[in-house]
Amino acid sequence: MASYKLFLIACLVSLSSSIMINTCSASRHLLQKQPLPQIPNLPIPTTGLPPLPSTLPQQTLPTIPTSIPPLPSTFPKPTLPTIPTSIPPLPSTLPQPTLPTIPTSTAPFSMPTLPTFPTTIPSLPTSFPSIPFFSPPPTTTTSSP
């Protein structure tokens, strides 16, 4: 974790120093350039502003009515629909749906034949073939001279 923080600090220091070097070289370049020509000064007027006219033109404003017309004393009432007061009776007999008929006899069904299973278990062989990879190496006897 400490090496990560040191890496970040090193990156920030190198970035800030490169920015400072670029800024210093740019300012030195601007200082070494020839100065720009001066903008000529505008002449200062010796006389003051002309006098304002004694009467300014007035704009005509629209007239505002001083009285508000009265509201009508009666408003027209909207006509409401009539609501029935009694509920119509339900029919005494409802139509019965027709049900499908269920057949009473079924088609003959035959049972499938099952395969035959052996009833005896074969015996295991008494001797297994030797596999060279799994068998132990043959014993060798060395004769001493």
Side-chain angles (χ1 to χ4, degrees), residues 32-135:
Q32 290 173 353
K33 285 183 75 172
Q34 294 293 326
L36 294 175
Q38 293 293 325
I39 299 173
N41 293 333
L42 294 175
I44 299 173
T46 55
T47 60
L49 294 174
L52 290 174
S54 61
T55 60
L56 294 175
Q58 295 292 326
Q59 291 183 349
T60 58
L61 297 174
T63 58
I64 299 174
T66 57
S67 64
I68 301 173
L71 290 173
S73 60
T74 60
F75 289 105
K77 293 184 178 179
T79 58
L80 297 174
T82 58
I83 299 173
T85 57
S86 64
I87 299 173
L90 289 174
S92 61
T93 60
L94 295 175
Q96 295 294 324
T98 58
L99 297 174
T101 59
I102 300 172
T104 57
S105 64
T106 59
F109 180 72
S110 63
M111 291 292 288
T113 58
L114 296 174
T116 59
F117 294 105
T119 56
T120 61
I121 299 172
S123 62
L124 293 174
T126 56
S127 64
F128 290 104
S130 71
I131 300 171
F133 183 73
F134 294 116
S135 61

Side-chain angles (χ1 to χ4, degrees), residues 23-36:
T23 305
C24 291
S25 64
S27 61
R28 179 178 296 143
H29 175 70
L30 287 176
L31 286 173
Q32 290 173 353
K33 285 183 75 172
Q34 294 293 326
L36 294 175

